[in-house]
Structure formats: C-alpha cells, structure tokens
Amino acid sequence: MFKKMVITSAAVIGSTFGFVVPVMAEPVVIQSQPDHVANSSSRGISSSPGPDPAFVENLMFQVRDLEQQVAEQRGLVEELNYQIQMLQQEQKERYVDLDQRLLNMQQQLDMQAVAPAEREVSPSLSESAVSDEDILAEYNAARDLIRNRDFPGAITALADFAQAHPNHELTPNAWYWLGEVHLVSREVTQAQAAFETVVDDFGGHAKVPDSLYKLGVIAQQQERGSQATELFNRVISEYPGSQSAKLAQARLDSN
C-alpha cells in the first residue's frame, strides 16, 4: 500500500516538472522602441537654441551700412576720373592753341626774313624782326622751364617776360601760364591775380575764356559757389562753342 502511494506521488511530481520545463525554456522577448521615437528623443537631447534675433538684425544693419559706404566711394572715384579726363582734355587743347600761335608767329618771322632784295627794308623793320626773334626765344625758354617742371624758374621767367614786353602778342599767354604755374604751386592768390590780368587787360584775346574758366575753378575750390557759377555761365554765354565753355558746362552739370 505504501509503495503504491510513493509511485503515485512520483508520477504526479514527474508530470508537473514535465509541464514546467517547457514553459520556463521559452525565450524572453525584449520589446524595443520604434526608430522614430528613438530618433526624436536623440534630437531632442542634442538640439540647441537658434541665434539671437537682435544679433542678426545688428549684423544686417552693419552689412547695409558697408554697402552704402562702398557705393559712395564708387561714386567719388567715378567723379574724380571724370575730372581727370576733363583736365587732360583741357591741357591738350591748351597746348594745341599755344603751338598754333607759336607756329603763326614763326611763319610771320620767316616771311619778314625772306627775299630781302625784293623789298626795301628799313633799319627799324630789321631791328623789329630781330627783336621778335629774341622775344620768341625768351618766351620759349620760359615754356621749357614749365615742361621741365622747374616751376620757380618758370614763374620768374614768365613774370620777367610780361614786365619786359607788356604789349606783345605773347604777353597774354605769359600771364595765363604764369597763373597756371602759380596754381600748380598752390599759390592761389597769385594765380587768381594773373588770370584776372588776362581778363581785364587783354579783352578779346584767345586766353580770356580760359582765364575766366580758371577763375571759376578757383572760386569753386574756395567754396564760393555763386561766384563760380557766375563765371562759368559767363564763359558759356560769351564764348559758346569754345573748349572752356564745354568744361564750364561740365562743372555746372557735376554740381
């Protein structure tokens, strides 16, 4: 009887263990989070706040300010280039005028020197021709000093020429170039006096419009705007079509 109970108990226990073992042997499944949840969590951890709006606005303001400054500088450079072109053209016209006058004077001297036997030459005419040659040589020597940029020497030579030959045909040119050399040497008062001498004492001479224009330039540089405008308009009205009138108009248009 006792043996049957033992056998029955063992059978029950064995069946119990046989049921438990398969259940415990089943693998445990670990459930992971979806990818979008993990990524959003990771981004939330590594994200940083954006730039300060006030800082960005300040940078934009500085950029606009720099752009404005660059535009202003570009305009200034264009204006200076235009003025340089005008001055170069003015200088070219001035030399052409001077060379033409010197050529005309030389031709007159040659005509006086040729064929002495065909006409009676009085002593006074002969002396006058020699004097004109000397005067021309004296004037050319003064101009050579300008070309060699010996401005102090040119000022002395031109002033001596104008004083020694107050009524000669080249004297207005000497006064004009004297004004130019003084202006280059930054002696504005002396330059103005020389140009005024051409205008006041040699009316009708070809250098009058050039001298008027230079007086307008001096007035403009000294910030005497109304006087500069008056002088430029005078050049335009009294000497239309001249190179000085074109330069004066350009000065008025640039203001």
Side-chain angles (χ1 to χ4, degrees):
M1 181 73 175
F2 177 76
K3 289 181 180 180
K4 290 181 179 180
M5 292 175 62
V6 171
I7 293 171
T8 302
S9 299
V12 172
I13 294 170
S15 63
T16 302
F17 277 98
F19 174 77
V20 172
V21 170
V23 173
M24 295 301 294
E26 184 178 353
V28 179
V29 177
I30 300 175
Q31 195 171 15
S32 61
Q33 294 180 339
D35 292 341
H36 72 276
V37 176
N39 292 337
S40 63
S41 175
S42 174
R43 287 196 299 269
I45 295 173
S46 62
S47 62
S48 59
D52 184 5
F55 176 73
V56 174
E57 183 179 0
N58 185 39
L59 286 179
M60 293 179 64
F61 176 78
Q62 293 181 12
V63 169
R64 287 195 297 268
D65 185 57
L66 289 175
E67 290 176 347
Q68 180 65 25
Q69 293 181 18
V70 170
E72 292 176 355
Q73 294 297 326
R74 186 181 294 112
L76 179 61
V77 170
E78 292 176 354
E79 181 180 354
L80 291 175
N81 287 335
Y82 176 76
Q83 293 180 4
I84 290 174
Q85 292 176 1
M86 290 295 98
L87 290 174
Q88 290 175 342
Q89 181 64 27
E90 176 188 359
Q91 186 178 23
K92 179 180 178 180
E93 293 291 334
R94 189 180 301 123
Y95 279 119
V96 170
D97 176 72
L98 176 62
D99 291 340
Q100 184 61 43
R101 286 183 171 275
L102 292 177
L103 178 62
N104 293 338
M105 178 172 289
Q106 187 64 51
Q107 290 175 348
Q108 292 177 1
L109 294 175
D110 292 341
M111 291 177 61
Q112 293 176 356
V114 296
E118 297 179 1
R119 55 188 175 88
E120 182 180 357
V121 181
S122 64
S124 59
L125 181 59
S126 177
E127 292 175 1
S128 176
V130 173
S131 177
D132 283 340
E133 291 178 356
D134 293 339
I135 292 173
L136 180 60
E138 185 179 347
Y139 179 83
N140 287 336
R143 291 285 288 114
D144 288 339
L145 292 174
I146 299 177
R147 295 189 183 94
N148 296 329
R149 304 186 66 82
D150 182 5
F151 297 142
I155 289 174
T156 300
L158 290 170
D160 291 344
F161 181 93
Q163 184 176 2
H165 314 289
N167 299 318
H168 195 270
E169 183 182 0
L170 285 174
T171 302
N173 296 72
W175 278 111
Y176 176 82
W177 285 109
L178 184 60
E180 286 280 17
V181 178
H182 277 305
L183 198 59
V184 171
S185 303
R186 299 184 182 277
E187 299 170 350
V188 181
T189 302
Q190 295 89 327
Q192 182 175 345
F195 292 133
E196 288 176 347
T197 299
V198 177
V199 174
D200 296 337
D201 297 349
F202 301 95
H205 192 271
K207 283 301 178 185
V208 172
D210 295 340
S211 299
L212 281 172
Y213 171 75
K214 283 299 181 177
L215 290 172
V217 172
I218 292 174
Q220 192 176 58
Q221 292 175 348
Q222 293 180 341
E223 298 183 355
R224 293 182 280 116
S226 59
Q227 186 176 3
T229 301
E230 180 182 352
L231 288 166
F232 290 148
N233 285 327
R234 181 179 173 185
V235 176
I236 295 171
S237 62
E238 295 182 7
Y239 304 94
S242 66
Q243 182 63 26
S244 296
K246 297 177 183 178
L247 296 172
Q249 186 63 59
R251 288 270 181 173
L252 292 174
D253 294 341
S254 63
N255 290 338

